[in-house]
Amino acid sequence: MGAIDAVSSRKLHKARKTMAKPIFILNGPNLNLLGKRQPEIYGAETLADVEQRCTALAAELGLMVRFHQSNHEGQIIDWVHLARDEGAGIIINPGAFTHTSVAILDALNAFEGPVLEVHISNVHKREAFRHHSYVSLRAEGVIAGFGTEGYLLALRRMHTLVSA
Ligand code: CA2
Protein backbone atom coordinates (compact mmCIF):
# COMPACT_ATOMS: atom_id res chain seq x y z
CA MET A 1 0.00 0.00 0.00
CA GLY A 2 1.38 3.46 -0.98
CA ALA A 3 1.82 6.24 1.57
CA ILE A 4 -1.24 8.15 0.30
CA ASP A 5 -3.39 4.98 0.31
CA ALA A 6 -2.34 4.30 3.91
CA VAL A 7 -3.34 7.84 4.96
CA SER A 8 -6.73 7.55 3.19
CA SER A 9 -7.33 4.16 4.73
CA ARG A 10 -6.57 5.49 8.23
CA LYS A 11 -8.92 8.44 7.63
CA LEU A 12 -11.66 6.08 6.42
CA HIS A 13 -11.18 3.82 9.44
CA LYS A 14 -11.40 6.83 11.77
CA ALA A 15 -14.49 8.16 9.98
CA ARG A 16 -16.21 4.76 10.18
CA LYS A 17 -15.37 4.49 13.89
CA THR A 18 -16.86 7.91 14.73
CA MET A 19 -19.84 7.55 12.36
CA ALA A 20 -20.81 4.09 13.52
CA LYS A 21 -22.64 4.83 16.77
CA PRO A 22 -24.33 8.03 17.94
CA ILE A 23 -23.41 10.17 20.92
CA PHE A 24 -26.21 10.17 23.46
CA ILE A 25 -26.92 13.65 24.87
CA LEU A 26 -29.05 13.17 27.98
CA ASN A 27 -30.81 15.88 29.95
CA GLY A 28 -32.38 15.56 33.37
CA PRO A 29 -35.32 17.09 35.20
CA ASN A 30 -36.68 20.55 34.48
CA LEU A 31 -34.35 21.14 31.54
CA ASN A 32 -37.47 21.06 29.35
CA LEU A 33 -38.12 24.54 30.85
CA LEU A 34 -34.93 25.95 29.34
CA GLY A 35 -35.55 29.36 27.73
CA LYS A 36 -38.97 29.58 29.37
CA ARG A 37 -38.06 30.38 33.00
CA GLN A 38 -35.05 31.79 34.90
CA PRO A 39 -33.15 33.10 31.82
CA GLU A 40 -30.80 34.97 34.19
CA ILE A 41 -29.42 31.58 35.29
CA TYR A 42 -29.97 29.30 32.30
CA GLY A 43 -30.12 31.69 29.31
CA ALA A 44 -32.70 32.34 26.63
CA GLU A 45 -32.22 29.30 24.41
CA THR A 46 -34.75 26.49 24.55
CA LEU A 47 -33.74 22.82 24.74
CA ALA A 48 -34.98 22.46 21.14
CA ASP A 49 -32.50 25.22 20.15
CA VAL A 50 -29.71 23.35 21.94
CA GLU A 51 -30.66 20.11 20.20
CA GLN A 52 -30.61 21.86 16.82
CA ARG A 53 -27.16 23.36 17.44
CA CYS A 54 -25.78 20.02 18.65
CA THR A 55 -27.19 18.21 15.61
CA ALA A 56 -25.64 20.78 13.25
CA LEU A 57 -22.23 20.64 14.95
CA ALA A 58 -22.34 16.83 15.07
CA ALA A 59 -22.91 16.76 11.29
CA GLU A 60 -19.85 19.02 10.80
CA LEU A 61 -17.77 16.69 12.99
CA GLY A 62 -19.04 13.54 11.29
CA LEU A 63 -20.93 12.42 14.40
CA MET A 64 -24.54 11.54 15.02
CA VAL A 65 -26.41 12.49 18.17
CA ARG A 66 -29.42 11.16 20.01
CA PHE A 67 -30.77 13.96 22.16
CA HIS A 68 -33.16 13.18 25.05
CA GLN A 69 -34.67 14.86 28.10
CA SER A 70 -36.63 13.33 30.94
CA ASN A 71 -37.91 14.37 34.34
CA HIS A 72 -37.71 10.72 35.47
CA GLU A 73 -34.58 9.12 36.89
CA GLY A 74 -35.49 5.62 35.63
CA GLN A 75 -35.90 6.88 32.07
CA ILE A 76 -32.43 8.43 32.14
CA ILE A 77 -31.02 5.15 33.46
CA ASP A 78 -32.78 3.26 30.65
CA TRP A 79 -31.15 5.55 28.05
CA VAL A 80 -27.73 5.00 29.65
CA HIS A 81 -28.36 1.24 29.40
CA LEU A 82 -29.38 1.62 25.75
CA ALA A 83 -26.15 3.51 25.10
CA ARG A 84 -24.21 0.43 26.29
CA ASP A 85 -25.15 -1.25 23.00
CA GLU A 86 -25.98 1.67 20.76
CA GLY A 87 -23.88 4.66 21.87
CA ALA A 88 -20.25 5.68 21.28
CA GLY A 89 -20.28 8.17 24.16
CA ILE A 90 -22.56 9.98 26.58
CA ILE A 91 -22.85 13.71 27.25
CA ILE A 92 -25.09 14.19 30.25
CA ASN A 93 -26.59 17.12 32.09
CA PRO A 94 -28.33 15.21 34.87
CA GLY A 95 -29.97 18.37 36.30
CA ALA A 96 -30.63 18.05 40.02
CA PHE A 97 -29.99 14.27 39.81
CA THR A 98 -26.31 15.28 39.55
CA HIS A 99 -26.31 15.90 43.27
CA THR A 100 -28.50 12.99 44.40
CA SER A 101 -28.38 9.99 42.10
CA VAL A 102 -26.17 7.04 42.95
CA ALA A 103 -28.42 5.09 40.54
CA ILE A 104 -27.39 7.21 37.53
CA LEU A 105 -23.75 6.90 38.63
CA ASP A 106 -24.11 3.10 38.79
CA ALA A 107 -25.65 3.03 35.29
CA LEU A 108 -22.84 5.21 33.91
CA ASN A 109 -20.26 2.95 35.55
CA ALA A 110 -21.68 0.07 33.47
CA PHE A 111 -21.14 2.07 30.24
CA GLU A 112 -17.75 1.53 28.62
CA GLY A 113 -17.38 4.62 26.42
CA PRO A 114 -16.47 8.20 27.37
CA VAL A 115 -18.82 10.23 29.57
CA LEU A 116 -18.83 14.02 29.74
CA GLU A 117 -20.86 16.01 32.27
CA VAL A 118 -22.34 19.39 31.35
CA HIS A 119 -23.87 22.09 33.52
CA ILE A 120 -25.24 25.27 32.01
CA SER A 121 -24.70 27.28 35.18
CA ASN A 122 -21.52 27.46 37.24
CA VAL A 123 -22.63 25.07 39.97
CA HIS A 124 -19.59 26.02 42.08
CA LYS A 125 -20.79 29.60 42.34
CA ARG A 126 -24.19 28.45 43.61
CA GLU A 127 -25.56 26.73 46.76
CA ALA A 128 -23.22 24.29 48.55
CA PHE A 129 -25.49 21.31 47.74
CA ARG A 130 -24.71 21.85 44.03
CA HIS A 131 -20.96 21.55 44.60
CA HIS A 132 -21.00 17.78 44.83
CA SER A 133 -21.69 15.60 41.80
CA TYR A 134 -22.06 11.80 41.86
CA VAL A 135 -21.72 11.80 38.06
CA SER A 136 -18.29 13.49 38.26
CA LEU A 137 -16.96 10.28 39.86
CA ARG A 138 -17.43 8.68 36.42
CA ALA A 139 -17.11 11.54 33.92
CA GLU A 140 -13.91 11.98 31.91
CA GLY A 141 -14.56 15.73 32.01
CA VAL A 142 -16.96 18.33 33.38
CA ILE A 143 -18.06 21.61 31.82
CA ALA A 144 -19.91 24.13 33.99
CA GLY A 145 -20.82 27.78 33.64
CA PHE A 146 -20.43 28.15 29.87
CA GLY A 147 -24.17 28.42 29.32
CA THR A 148 -25.69 26.23 26.62
CA GLU A 149 -22.42 26.58 24.67
CA GLY A 150 -21.13 23.95 27.10
CA TYR A 151 -22.99 21.26 25.12
CA LEU A 152 -21.11 22.25 21.95
CA LEU A 153 -17.77 22.30 23.77
CA ALA A 154 -18.53 18.86 25.17
CA LEU A 155 -19.40 17.59 21.69
CA ARG A 156 -16.06 18.82 20.32
CA ARG A 157 -14.25 17.09 23.19
CA MET A 158 -16.32 13.94 22.63
CA HIS A 159 -15.26 13.98 18.97
CA THR A 160 -11.62 13.94 20.09
CA LEU A 161 -12.26 11.14 22.57
CA VAL A 162 -14.16 8.83 20.21
CA SER A 163 -11.72 9.47 17.34
CA ALA A 164 -8.64 8.56 19.40
O1 CA2 B 1 -26.56 24.21 35.53
C1 CA2 B 1 -27.09 23.14 35.19
O2 CA2 B 1 -27.12 22.76 34.03
C2 CA2 B 1 -27.82 22.29 36.23
O3 CA2 B 1 -27.57 20.92 35.92
C3 CA2 B 1 -29.28 22.61 36.10
C4 CA2 B 1 -30.16 21.93 37.14
C5 CA2 B 1 -29.61 22.18 38.55
O4 CA2 B 1 -30.37 21.44 39.48
C6 CA2 B 1 -28.15 21.78 38.64
O5 CA2 B 1 -27.69 22.07 39.93
C7 CA2 B 1 -27.32 22.55 37.63
C8 CA2 B 1 -31.58 22.49 37.08
C9 CA2 B 1 -32.19 22.43 35.75
C10 CA2 B 1 -33.40 23.32 35.79
O6 CA2 B 1 -33.55 23.87 34.52
C11 CA2 B 1 -34.38 24.93 34.40
C12 CA2 B 1 -34.27 25.65 33.25
C13 CA2 B 1 -35.06 26.76 33.07
C14 CA2 B 1 -35.99 27.12 34.04
C15 CA2 B 1 -36.09 26.38 35.21
C16 CA2 B 1 -35.29 25.28 35.38
Side-chain angles (χ1 to χ4, degrees):
M1 194 186 288
I4 293 176
D5 287 346
V7 170
S8 315
S9 152
R10 269 202 303 277
K11 276 189 180 157
L12 194 67
H13 175 70
K14 204 166 152 180
R16 281 214 184 102
K17 224 169 123 185
T18 52
M19 288 287 294
K21 287 180 175 181
I23 306 304
F24 279 56
I25 304 182
L26 304 179
N27 293 280
N30 298 309
L31 285 159
N32 53 313
L33 298 178
L34 212 59
K36 298 171 183 166
R37 297 268 187 289
Q38 296 182 274
E40 67 288 357
I41 303 179
Y42 299 113
E45 264 189 334
T46 65
L47 200 62
D49 295 331
V50 177
E51 176 172 7
Q52 220 169 54
R53 290 176 76 194
C54 287
T55 305
L57 176 62
E60 262 178 51
L61 297 172
L63 297 172
M64 286 179 303
V65 293
R66 277 204 216 162
F67 197 96
H68 295 296
Q69 186 275 332
S70 178
N71 295 325
H72 305 280
E73 192 173 14
Q75 175 63 79
I76 293 166
I77 291 166
D78 286 344
W79 284 325
V80 172
H81 290 175
L82 189 65
R84 277 162 46 79
D85 288 329
E86 298 182 9
I90 297 176
I91 294 172
I92 183 165
N93 181 348
F97 291 146
T98 306
H99 320 296
T100 62
S101 182
V102 176
I104 291 177
L105 171 64
D106 286 346
L108 289 168
N109 277 333
F111 175 74
E112 287 181 3
V115 174
L116 298 176
E117 178 180 350
V118 172
H119 298 288
I120 298 166
S121 64
N122 180 359
V123 282
H124 301 290
K125 205 178 167 190
R126 301 182 66 189
E127 303 95 323
F129 66 82
R130 296 186 204 274
H131 298 177
H132 176 263
S133 164
Y134 285 102
V135 169
S136 292
L137 292 167
R138 167 64 182 84
E140 267 70 35
V142 183
I143 290 176
F146 288 81
T148 49
E149 196 184 337
Y151 287 85
L152 303 174
L153 297 171
L155 203 48
R156 287 189 186 280
R157 178 64 183 153
M158 185 57 81
H159 177 249
T160 304
L161 293 173
V162 298
S163 305

